[in-house]
Amino acid sequence: MDISVLGHGAYGRVYKAWSNKDQKNFAVKIVGNSKKSEREVKALARLQHHNIVKYFCCWEEDNKYEQESSESSDSSTSSSTNFLYIQMELCEGGTLRDWIEAKNSTPCPARRQEARNIIEQITDGLAFIHSKKLVHRDLKPENIFFEEQKIKIKIGDFGLVKNIALNTDESPPEGHESFGTPTYMSPEQKSGGLYGKKADIFALGLIFFELLWTLQTQMEKYTIWTDLRDQMFPEHFNVQFPPECKLIKMMLCKKTKKRPGAAGLLTEIKKLY
Ligand code: ATP
Ligand code: MG
């Protein structure tokens, strides 16, 4: 059987695996069997959308994939007695982080148009997630994938997905778990208060900016990021990208009510040139 590691994150490891039965490759994510992984699977099963990584099935096993036995395991799974194998669509076009890095190293005249197409697709997927009363909570370029032809975008990694109560758009953080990735975290998520769909919109605003603007160094990213979180943009950003700047500014509002919803945002993005 042809199996290779695609990547690994905080909780699991993802493999590319060939299925003889289907005569095609899949991505299989192996995570410790826990409430968190159950939540990920339940969410994926509800989310059938062309901009979301497609889920096929899952099964439990007592062991991690055997190649791993000689490797060090991370602390979150080492205490688990069994593992959940999540079979998903394989996205072979890399992550959005790879796209950003490629554009930052080689100037691309079509970047603006491509950025708009990408953000439209992410917003489409996100509007669907929100319509199902779910919040992704860890939107970042590393969790957004391209399928093989690099045209279609797929939101992935639902490891932090959360169901929001029916009557409210916000829910409190849980226990002492630390959620999300600090760089893309909304202010309300960072401060440990109530947060919901609008936290995903904040992360999306930062991603939109990153798709358009070249950040050469980590230091530059740090400085600009700090300003961005206060709705302050680099000097020429507004001049070069006026309509995008207006949208991103709204997405980064500190007040959640002032941030647009995903469905409304999608309409606005479609109006962009
Ligand atoms: P969690 O946030 O639950 O800890 P994780 O970060 O460990 O999740 P993922 O983000 O789902 O796990 O996957 C880790 C890496 O595996 C990704 O960055 C990517 O490189 C690769 N990967 C994940 N899913 C796919 C997929 N469907 N197709 C191709 N590569 C994938
Ligand atoms: Mg991830």
Side-chain angles (χ1 to χ4, degrees):
M1 197 189 262
D2 181 15
I3 294 179
S4 54
V5 177
L6 285 168
H8 47 89
Y11 294 92
R13 203 166 272 244
V14 183
Y15 295 90
K16 173 179 172 176
W18 171 258
S19 160
N20 264 337
K21 220 166 154 188
D22 301 286
Q23 289 289 298
K24 74 186 255 192
N25 280 309
F26 290 93
V28 179
K29 183 168 176 175
I30 305 177
V31 286
N33 205 348
S34 63
K35 281 227 155 57
K36 176 183 178 294
S37 52
E38 263 176 39
R39 201 158 56 188
E40 179 168 0
V41 164
K42 275 188 195 151
L44 273 172
R46 283 171 66 191
L47 294 170
Q48 283 149 41
H49 185 272
H50 53 277
N51 295 122
I52 294 172
V53 172
K54 196 168 174 186
Y55 161 80
F56 292 97
C57 65
C58 72
W59 67 93
E60 283 177 74
E61 300 234 0
D62 286 338
N63 301 303
K64 277 199 237 185
Y65 173 57
E66 59 188 13
Q67 256 186 11
E68 282 200 285
S69 54
S70 57
E71 298 165 10
S72 62
S73 56
D74 60 73
S75 59
S76 61
T77 54
S78 57
S79 59
S80 303
T81 50
N82 61 19
F83 295 88
L84 197 63
Y85 285 55
I86 307 171
Q87 185 180 346
M88 300 172 289
E89 150 186 30
L90 177 67
C91 302
E92 295 210 82
T95 68
L96 194 55
R97 171 63 60 213
D98 303 328
W99 184 94
I100 292 168
E101 278 171 13
K103 300 292 167 194
N104 283 355
S105 57
T106 318
C108 166
R111 181 169 178 160
R112 187 179 191 185
Q113 187 62 45
E114 286 181 31
R116 180 215 169 276
N117 290 340
I118 291 170
I119 212 73
E120 180 179 332
Q121 294 188 58
I122 307 172
T123 311
D124 206 342
L126 189 62
F128 187 75
I129 296 169
H130 289 176
S131 76
K132 296 287 176 194
K133 295 273 171 202
L134 293 168
V135 194
H136 185 284
R137 301 201 296 179
D138 200 15
L139 272 189
K140 58 179 175 180
E142 289 77 0
N143 287 339
I144 296 167
F145 307 107
F146 283 93
E147 49 66 84
E148 199 179 357
Q149 280 78 37
K150 297 204 180 207
I151 297 167
K152 262 239 138 31
I153 286 280
K154 310 272 175 168
I155 302 175
D157 193 353
F158 286 79
L160 293 185
V161 72
K162 175 112 169 58
N163 224 316
I164 43 179
L166 277 179
N167 299 323
T168 165
D169 272 354
E170 294 176 324
S171 43
E174 293 165 12
H176 299 290
E177 281 180 272
S178 137
F179 286 129
T181 305
T183 321
Y184 295 89
M185 246 186 218
S186 64
E188 68 276 14
Q189 214 171 343
K190 266 197 165 170
S191 67
L194 291 174
Y195 65 93
K197 297 173 187 175
K198 297 294 180 72
D200 285 342
I201 300 292
F202 189 91
L204 190 65
L206 292 171
I207 296 171
F208 197 2
F209 175 84
E210 216 177 353
L211 293 183
L212 291 162
W213 199 250
T214 301
L215 294 164
Q216 295 289 7
T217 60
Q218 280 304 110
M219 191 58 208
E220 191 184 13
K221 178 164 180 178
Y222 178 79
T223 320
I224 290 182
W225 224 246
T226 312
D227 287 346
L228 265 186
R229 299 182 66 91
D230 288 325
Q231 293 174 290
M232 289 188 304
F233 294 83
E235 215 177 303
H236 302 294
F237 187 76
N238 187 25
V239 178
Q240 275 191 47
F241 306 107
E244 291 93 338
C245 187
K246 207 173 141 201
L247 279 183
I248 296 171
K249 205 166 183 176
M250 287 197 299
M251 295 161 85
L252 299 181
C253 275
K254 293 238 192 276
K255 287 207 163 71
T256 55
K257 285 205 162 68
K258 287 195 169 170
R259 287 179 216 153
L265 188 61
L266 185 60
T267 312
E268 292 307 313
I269 291 167
K270 283 183 172 160
K271 285 185 205 159
L272 290 175
Y273 39 87

Coordinates of all heavy atoms in Angstrom, one line a residue, residues 13 19 35 37 44-45 59-60 64 66-67 85 105 109 130-131 148 171 188 198 204 225 252 256 259 273:
R13 N -1.8 13.5 12.7 CA -0.9 13.3 11.6 C -1.8 13.0 10.4 O -2.8 12.3 10.6 CB 0.0 12.2 11.9 CG 1.3 12.2 11.2 CD 2.3 11.3 11.8 NE 3.0 11.9 12.9 CZ 4.3 12.1 12.9 NH1 5.0 11.7 11.9 NH2 4.9 12.7 13.9
S19 N -6.3 3.9 -2.0 CA -7.4 2.9 -1.8 C -7.5 2.1 -3.0 O -7.9 2.6 -4.1 CB -8.7 3.6 -1.4 OG -9.7 2.7 -1.7
K35 N -13.3 13.6 22.6 CA -14.5 14.4 22.3 C -14.2 15.4 21.2 O -15.0 15.6 20.3 CB -14.9 15.3 23.6 CG -15.6 14.5 24.6 CD -16.8 15.3 25.1 CE -17.9 14.4 25.7 NZ -17.5 13.6 26.8
S37 N -12.1 15.0 18.7 CA -12.1 14.4 17.4 C -13.5 14.0 16.9 O -13.8 14.0 15.7 CB -11.1 13.2 17.3 OG -11.4 12.3 18.4
L44 N -17.7 17.6 10.1 CA -17.3 17.4 8.7 C -18.5 16.6 8.0 O -18.8 16.9 6.8 CB -16.1 16.5 8.6 CG -14.7 17.3 8.6 CD1 -13.6 16.3 8.8 CD2 -14.6 18.0 7.3
A45 N -19.1 15.7 8.7 CA -20.2 14.9 8.1 C -21.4 15.8 7.7 O -22.1 15.5 6.8 CB -20.6 13.8 9.0
W59 N -13.1 5.5 11.1 CA -13.1 4.3 11.8 C -12.1 4.4 13.0 O -11.2 5.2 13.0 CB -12.9 3.1 10.9 CG -11.5 3.1 10.4 CD1 -10.4 2.4 10.9 CD2 -11.0 3.7 9.2 NE1 -9.3 2.6 10.1 CE2 -9.6 3.4 9.0 CE3 -11.6 4.6 8.2 CZ2 -8.8 3.9 8.0 CZ3 -10.8 5.0 7.2 CH2 -9.4 4.7 7.0
E60 N -12.4 3.5 14.0 CA -11.5 3.5 15.1 C -10.5 2.3 15.0 O -10.8 1.3 14.5 CB -12.3 3.2 16.4 CG -13.1 4.4 16.9 CD -13.9 4.0 18.1 OE1 -13.4 3.8 19.2 OE2 -15.2 3.9 17.9
K64 N -2.0 3.6 16.3 CA -1.7 4.6 15.3 C -1.2 3.8 14.1 O -0.8 2.7 14.2 CB -0.7 5.6 15.8 CG -1.2 6.7 16.6 CD -0.2 7.8 16.6 CE 0.2 8.1 18.1 NZ 1.1 9.3 18.2
E66 N 1.3 2.1 11.8 CA 2.5 1.4 12.4 C 3.8 2.1 12.1 O 4.7 2.0 13.0 CB 2.6 -0.1 12.0 CG 2.6 -0.2 10.5 CD 2.5 -1.7 10.1 OE1 2.1 -2.5 10.9 OE2 2.8 -2.0 8.9
Q67 N 3.9 2.8 11.0 CA 5.2 3.5 10.8 C 5.5 4.5 11.9 O 6.6 4.8 12.1 CB 5.0 4.3 9.5 CG 5.7 3.7 8.3 CD 5.7 4.6 7.1 OE1 5.3 5.8 7.2 NE2 6.0 4.1 6.0
Y85 N -9.5 7.3 12.7 CA -8.9 7.5 11.4 C -10.0 8.2 10.6 O -11.1 7.7 10.4 CB -8.6 6.2 10.7 CG -7.4 5.5 11.2 CD1 -7.2 5.3 12.6 CD2 -6.3 5.1 10.4 CE1 -6.0 4.6 13.1 CE2 -5.2 4.5 10.8 CZ -5.0 4.3 12.2 OH -3.9 3.7 12.6
S105 N 7.5 35.9 -2.6 CA 8.9 35.8 -3.1 C 9.0 36.2 -4.6 O 10.1 36.6 -5.1 CB 9.5 34.4 -2.9 OG 8.7 33.4 -3.5
P109 N 1.6 40.0 -11.1 CA 0.6 41.0 -11.5 C -0.8 40.6 -11.3 O -1.7 41.4 -11.0 CB 0.9 41.2 -13.0 CG 2.1 40.4 -13.3 CD 2.4 39.5 -12.2
H130 N -21.3 28.6 8.8 CA -22.1 29.4 9.8 C -23.6 29.1 9.6 O -24.3 29.1 10.6 CB -21.8 30.9 9.6 CG -20.5 31.3 10.1 ND1 -19.9 32.6 9.9 CD2 -19.5 30.6 10.7 CE1 -18.7 32.6 10.4 NE2 -18.4 31.4 10.9
S131 N -24.0 28.8 8.4 CA -25.4 28.5 8.2 C -25.8 27.2 8.9 O -27.0 26.9 9.2 CB -25.8 28.4 6.7 OG -25.3 27.2 6.2
E148 N -6.0 19.7 -6.5 CA -4.8 19.5 -7.4 C -4.6 20.6 -8.4 O -3.4 21.0 -8.6 CB -4.9 18.1 -8.0 CG -3.6 17.6 -8.5 CD -3.7 16.2 -9.1 OE1 -4.8 15.7 -9.1 OE2 -2.7 15.7 -9.6
S171 N -20.8 31.8 22.1 CA -20.7 30.8 23.2 C -19.4 31.0 24.0 O -18.4 31.6 23.5 CB -20.8 29.4 22.7 OG -20.0 29.3 21.6
E188 N -11.9 39.1 21.0 CA -12.8 38.5 22.0 C -12.3 37.1 22.3 O -12.5 36.6 23.4 CB -14.3 38.6 21.6 CG -14.7 37.7 20.4 CD -14.4 38.4 19.0 OE1 -13.7 39.4 19.0 OE2 -15.0 38.0 18.0
K198 N -18.4 35.7 14.4 CA -17.7 36.9 14.1 C -16.2 36.7 14.3 O -15.4 37.5 13.8 CB -18.3 38.1 14.8 CG -19.7 38.4 14.4 CD -19.8 38.8 12.9 CE -21.2 39.2 12.5 NZ -21.8 40.4 13.0
L204 N -10.7 35.9 8.9 CA -10.8 36.0 7.5 C -10.3 37.4 7.0 O -9.6 37.5 5.9 CB -12.2 35.8 7.1 CG -12.5 35.7 5.6 CD1 -11.9 34.4 5.0 CD2 -14.0 35.6 5.3
W225 N 1.1 43.5 11.7 CA 0.0 42.7 12.3 C -0.6 43.4 13.5 O -1.8 43.5 13.7 CB 0.5 41.3 12.7 CG -0.4 40.2 12.3 CD1 -1.1 39.4 13.2 CD2 -0.8 39.8 11.0 NE1 -1.8 38.5 12.6 CE2 -1.7 38.7 11.2 CE3 -0.5 40.2 9.7 CZ2 -2.3 38.0 10.1 CZ3 -1.1 39.5 8.7 CH2 -2.0 38.4 8.9
L252 N -12.3 43.7 10.6 CA -11.4 43.8 11.8 C -11.9 44.7 12.9 O -11.2 45.0 13.9 CB -10.0 44.2 11.4 CG -9.3 43.3 10.4 CD1 -7.9 43.9 10.0 CD2 -9.1 41.9 10.9
T256 N -17.9 43.1 17.7 CA -18.3 42.0 16.8 C -19.6 42.4 15.9 O -19.7 42.0 14.8 CB -18.6 40.7 17.6 OG1 -19.6 41.1 18.6 CG2 -17.4 40.2 18.3
R259 N -18.8 43.9 12.6 CA -18.2 43.0 11.5 C -19.4 42.5 10.7 O -20.4 42.1 11.2 CB -17.5 41.9 12.1 CG -16.2 42.3 12.8 CD -15.4 41.1 13.4 NE -14.8 41.5 14.6 CZ -14.5 40.7 15.7 NH1 -14.8 39.4 15.6 NH2 -13.9 41.2 16.7
Y273 N -14.6 44.5 -8.4 CA -14.2 44.4 -9.9 C -14.5 43.2 -10.6 O -14.9 42.2 -10.1 CB -12.7 44.7 -10.0 CG -11.8 44.1 -9.0 CD1 -11.3 42.8 -9.1 CD2 -11.5 44.8 -7.8 CE1 -10.6 42.2 -8.1 CE2 -10.7 44.2 -6.8 CZ -10.3 42.9 -7.0 OH -9.5 42.3 -6.0

